[in-house]
Amino acid sequence: AAGEAREKAGDAEGEKAVRSHLASGLVTAAEIYLTDCCFEPDAEARASYLLERALAVDQTNWEALLGMGNLRISQCKNDEALGFVQKSVALWSELPPADQPPYDFRKATAKILIELGQHDTAIEILSDLLDEDDEVFDVWYLRGLCLFMIKDGGASLSDLEAAVTVYKKYDLSAAPEMREVFDHIIQLAQEIKAQSPGGPDGPADPTTVDKP
């Protein structure tokens, strides 16, 4: 009887793995219609169908839930988007670090949460990411942006300064998208300084650097 129970448990785990793999494949296909093929007339409908199929196969697939959230944002259905993203985060946020989604997936989740105005949750995710690797330029920037949005200027400046340090250390200026982020950091730092005691003539801005 014990052997039969173990066999059934093994079969259940195997089926779960197959469902998860299939759902992830459907999400990958959906992402093609949301990115490379987004200008095709039926791209949105195809992406929606694939994501719905992914969730039908595995309703606990965090990739499918996040993908559906992203799709709902593109459809200006932010309330529905938030529901999907929150379900995704709830599935993995309490798991041990080794069992959580990859670094880039969690960073993408934080970006979507910022877009949806969920800055506190985004800060929690970004803080965990920085605990794992504190030399990722855009993660420092994203947390600094969140702190700016919740009007914690001092903490925001500290994170923006850390972002600039990483930017200069790895000479990221050659990448146009990184340069755009850097320019936004300078803009945010100037806004924070202008709002600080003393205004523009107040204390020195720790993120002030010569643009490369």
Side-chain angles (χ1 to χ4, degrees):
E4 184 178 345
R6 283 194 296 270
E7 184 177 346
K8 287 183 177 179
D11 290 344
E13 285 299 314
E15 181 181 352
K16 181 179 180 182
V18 169
R19 285 180 174 275
S20 177
H21 185 72
L22 177 56
S24 294
L26 289 165
V27 173
T28 299
E31 288 174 346
I32 293 174
Y33 286 105
L34 292 173
T35 53
D36 297 345
C37 299
C38 65
F39 293 111
E40 292 190 10
D42 58 349
E44 183 179 296
R46 287 177 177 270
S48 181
Y49 171 77
L50 290 165
L51 290 169
E52 287 169 1
R53 290 295 306 145
L55 288 172
V57 169
D58 181 5
Q59 62 183 353
T60 64
N61 186 280
W62 51 55
E63 293 174 281
L65 288 165
L66 189 69
M68 190 62 84
N70 215 5
L71 176 63
R72 290 292 181 262
I73 289 175
S74 71
Q75 297 169 331
C76 299
K77 298 178 179 178
N78 285 8
D79 288 343
E80 290 184 30
L82 180 57
F84 283 112
V85 177
Q86 287 176 329
K87 287 179 183 177
S88 176
V89 173
L91 287 169
W92 55 260
S93 59
E94 300 300 326
L95 294 176
D99 296 329
Q100 292 191 0
Y103 196 97
D104 285 345
F105 178 89
R106 285 176 283 153
K107 181 169 70 172
T109 298
K111 288 181 179 180
I112 292 175
L113 287 166
I114 293 170
E115 189 169 353
L116 292 171
Q118 303 299 302
H119 301 111
D120 289 339
T121 305
I123 287 171
E124 291 179 13
I125 294 171
L126 294 165
S127 296
D128 287 342
L129 293 175
L130 289 170
D131 285 342
E132 293 178 32
D133 185 349
D134 64 357
E135 294 203 329
V136 182
F137 168 62
D138 54 343
V139 175
W140 280 113
Y141 158 72
L142 289 170
R143 195 174 74 169
L145 175 62
C146 283
L147 291 164
F148 174 84
M149 297 299 292
I150 64 173
K151 303 191 184 306
D152 189 343
S156 178
L157 277 177
S158 179
D159 277 12
L160 297 176
E161 180 184 22
V164 168
T165 298
V166 174
Y167 181 88
K168 295 173 69 178
K169 178 178 180 179
Y170 294 103
D171 192 18
L172 301 176
S173 59
E177 66 277 10
M178 295 300 183
R179 179 57 184 265
E180 288 179 12
V181 172
F182 177 85
D183 288 343
H184 192 219
I185 287 173
I186 299 303
Q187 178 186 339
L188 291 174
Q190 290 172 343
E191 289 186 35
I192 293 169
K193 184 181 177 185
Q195 295 167 7
S196 66
D201 297 322
D205 179 353
T207 66
T208 298
V209 293
D210 294 331
K211 291 190 178 184

